[in-house]
Amino acid sequence: MEPDRLAQILAELSSGGAESSARLCQAARDAVGMSGAGVMLMSGDLPAGSLCTSGEVSNLIEELQFTLGEGPCVDAHQKGRVVSEPDLADPQEPRWLAFTARAVPEGVRAIFGFPVTVGAARIGALNLYRDSPGPLSDAQHADALVMAQVIATWVLDVQGAAAPGMLADAIDHGGDFYFLVHNAAGAVSVQLDVSVTEALIRLRAYAFANNRSLLEVAQDVVARKLRF
Amino acid sequence: MAEVELSRESDIVRSLVELADVLTNDYDVVDLLTRVSDRCVSLLGISAAGVMLADPNGDLRLIASSSEAMRIVELFELQAKEGPCLDAFRTGERVAHENLHAGTGRWPRFATVALEAGFQAAFALPLRIRDTTIGALNLFSDGQVPMAEADVLVARAFADLATMTVLQQRAGSETQRINEQLTQALTSRIIIEQAKGVIFERAGIDMAESFARLRAYSRHHNTRLTDVARATIDGSIDPHAWTAAPATDRPTPTGPDHRNSPPSS
């Protein structure tokens, strides 16, 4: 991308203030010239939820990673480096088997994960996907690194201004932390008389075995349509 | 045992590289600044070195000293509010070599104490990056011969390294603090959502009502919402608390009594 174009995107982001994270992912998609972008926030080594997505498919990419605990964001975060899969339908190294099986039919043909970090603070990862296979150009790679940095700075700026112990409004409202899944885990822990951690594993296993999304299963539990 | 005679230049370079290398790993600022002080002594032909940093109020504090004698003199300098380190910090400029004479000169009281401790001359460099001065590096000597200009340059390099060290550490710890706060806030939200699910199931009520009960319990027991939520999940709050007569979110007539201490102990 032209330096002027990048400067323009950054200026637009800063003029928009910090009211919502939604525009961050659209900006990342446009800056790098991809089909879609999403940002996963991580808690320890596990996905905590999505800071933003640029559209439906990116939404699914985030949700799958949250549900399955695998994917480019998870790897980029855990390994602390850029993760590239230029041809998800015919990968060089088979990985993320469950993720790939669900993502490819939705048109995810190439996918990349960039760590979102500032110094030693590991915040999460940015994923960028394209509906056609192929690697990132050097310029795209460089632009993605800039966007990951912009996102990291945005998160720290916004959260730094939040009241102690509280999630910043812009992150809380703009993001999706799959709270419904945690509601369902609480309910299932009572139904099965197990810990919530165990209940979450049972929910994931059920979703996987029945080829359903974890969110749908959680919805059924909270609607009292499904009991464990 | 054969000793390899290393040139002084390579000693200096090696020290700088060694200190810079520490920067890339986890490090403790006090420990690193103490090392900087020690290297200044071993490489610059001076008797003692120390580093002072400004606290958030802009007052200097002693952080590192190469010797106990140095530490005492520097503490006196801070107390008396006069001396080379303070001047370097205030002006942001280097304080050139100055031979000390008791009771006279720029710092009469400081000079008296420094001479008693065996120091004859003083020199100081600001820890400065562009327009911001964050502290100063003090160099004391027990002789009166000024430092060679080449040594001053080396001292400058150590001062710059010390400045970067401190600034990098400050930026890093702030970033870490916010990121930990983010993780904590997220975890806290998740625990509350899980607790809502537990109450939803136990009491057979919807999520909104579950949250209202959770919050009412938190208020009536004067306990943080996150703590109530955690105790709900791990069962340390009696599960019957959620199925019994629903607590309201409004203060009850007996409400305030809950905040009083028990009558006897």
Side-chain angles (χ1 to χ4, degrees), chain A:
Chain A
M1 183 177 41
E2 295 298 312
D4 286 355
R5 177 88 185 93
L6 181 60
Q8 190 192 339
I9 286 173
L10 297 181
E12 277 168 22
L13 275 179
S14 59
S15 71
E19 72 277 5
S20 170
S21 56
R23 292 183 340 138
L24 284 174
C25 281
Q26 291 154 19
R29 177 196 62 197
D30 297 345
V32 187
M34 299 292 281
S35 305
V39 175
M40 178 76 85
L41 292 187
M42 305 287 291
S43 182
D45 269 347
L46 290 173
S50 173
L51 177 70
C52 60
T53 56
S54 66
E56 295 259 318
V57 177
S58 291
N59 222 359
L60 178 75
I61 291 170
E62 294 285 289
E63 191 196 313
L64 285 174
Q65 294 188 88
F66 174 77
T67 303
L68 304 167
E70 67 173 29
C73 280
V74 178
D75 280 9
H77 175 77
Q78 289 179 355
K79 294 177 177 162
R81 60 174 172 77
V82 179
V83 171
S84 302
E85 185 45 79
D87 193 350
L88 194 59
D90 184 16
Q92 292 271 325
E93 59 173 300
R95 52 186 164 175
W96 322 320
L97 296 179
F99 173 84
T100 303
R102 295 284 312 277
V104 171
E106 301 295 330
V108 182
R109 291 301 310 277
I111 193 158
F112 308 89
F114 287 78
V116 171
T117 60
V118 179
R122 298 158 69 235
I123 297 164
L126 162 70
N127 75 71
L128 292 156
Y129 92 93
R130 205 193 305 102
D131 56 14
S132 60
L136 291 179
S137 70
D138 287 351
Q140 283 179 311
H141 191 100
D143 290 341
L145 288 174
V146 170
M147 285 313 300
Q149 192 64 55
V150 168
I151 291 162
T153 310
W154 186 92
V155 170
L156 290 179
D157 278 357
V158 166
Q159 183 61 35
M166 300 295 288
L167 201 54
D169 278 351
I171 295 175
D172 199 347
H173 299 154
D176 184 353
F177 300 97
Y178 312 108
F179 289 136
L180 201 67
V181 172
H182 297 292
N183 291 155
V188 170
S189 77
V190 176
Q191 291 170 8
L192 296 176
D193 194 19
V194 296
S195 70
V196 280
T197 312
E198 168 82 27
L200 199 53
I201 293 169
R202 298 283 192 99
L203 276 163
R204 286 201 160 106
Y206 179 92
F208 187 77
N210 292 275
N211 201 21
R212 297 183 64 195
S213 105
L214 179 60
L215 272 183
E216 280 170 24
V217 172
Q219 261 157 11
D220 282 359
V221 170
V222 170
R224 300 193 202 277
K225 287 185 195 159
L226 175 66
R227 284 188 66 85
F228 276 70

Side-chain angles (χ1 to χ4, degrees), chain A residues 43 118 121-123 155-156 159-160 164-167 172 177 179 182-183 186-187 190-191 196 222 224 227, chain B residues 175-176 178-179 181-183 185-190 193-194 196-198 200-202 204-207 233:
Chain A
S43 182
V118 179
R122 298 158 69 235
I123 297 164
V155 170
L156 290 179
Q159 183 61 35
M166 300 295 288
L167 201 54
D172 199 347
F177 300 97
F179 289 136
H182 297 292
N183 291 155
V190 176
Q191 291 170 8
V196 280
V222 170
R224 300 193 202 277
R227 284 188 66 85
Chain B
T175 302
Q176 277 292 59
I178 298 173
N179 194 38
Q181 206 195 57
L182 173 64
T183 306
L186 268 173
T187 306
S188 163
R189 275 300 298 272
I190 287 169
E193 296 303 325
Q194 291 171 337
K196 279 163 65 178
V198 168
F200 156 95
E201 184 65 25
R202 291 217 183 277
I205 52 179
D206 68 20
M207 288 297 166
I233 293 165

Side-chain angles (χ1 to χ4, degrees), chain B residues 45-223:
Chain B
I46 51 166
S47 315
V51 177
M52 292 188 188
L53 290 178
D55 66 15
N57 296 322
D59 296 324
L60 279 184
R61 300 263 180 254
L62 182 58
I63 304 296
S65 295
S66 65
S67 73
E68 183 59 18
M70 177 76 175
R71 198 176 78 84
I72 289 163
V73 174
E74 286 190 297
L75 287 173
F76 178 81
E77 184 179 353
L78 289 176
Q79 206 178 16
K81 294 189 168 54
E82 65 166 49
C85 220
L86 289 167
D87 284 2
F89 174 66
R90 281 191 203 120
T91 62
E93 301 294 333
R94 118 187 193 191
V95 173
H97 171 90
E98 179 137 333
N99 287 330
L100 304 170
H101 304 282
T104 61
R106 293 162 74 173
W107 320 295
R109 286 186 296 162
F110 165 79
T112 304
V113 172
L115 283 164
E116 272 171 27
F119 300 119
Q120 299 269 333
F123 174 85
L125 283 169
L127 300 185
R128 196 183 69 185
I129 185 157
R130 291 184 287 276
D131 292 338
T132 309
T133 306
I134 60 164
L137 172 66
N138 262 349
L139 305 171
F140 292 177
S141 171
D142 59 7
Q144 295 208 333
V145 184
M147 241 185 352
E149 204 46 39
D151 285 345
V152 175
L153 284 176
V154 174
R156 181 76 262 164
F158 279 115
D160 288 346
L161 184 71
T163 309
M164 286 190 301
T165 305
V166 173
L167 292 179
Q168 180 173 322
Q169 199 260 356
R170 283 181 186 168
S173 59
E174 178 64 2
T175 302
Q176 277 292 59
R177 187 186 64 76
I178 298 173
N179 194 38
E180 276 161 23
Q181 206 195 57
L182 173 64
T183 306
Q184 214 177 3
L186 268 173
T187 306
S188 163
R189 275 300 298 272
I190 287 169
I191 290 170
I192 289 168
E193 296 303 325
Q194 291 171 337
K196 279 163 65 178
V198 168
I199 299 168
F200 156 95
E201 184 65 25
R202 291 217 183 277
I205 52 179
D206 68 20
M207 288 297 166
E209 179 63 18
S210 296
F211 185 56
R213 286 204 192 169
L214 195 66
R215 212 167 45 181
Y217 190 100
S218 157
R219 286 190 189 165
H220 289 182
H221 293 80
N222 208 12
T223 308

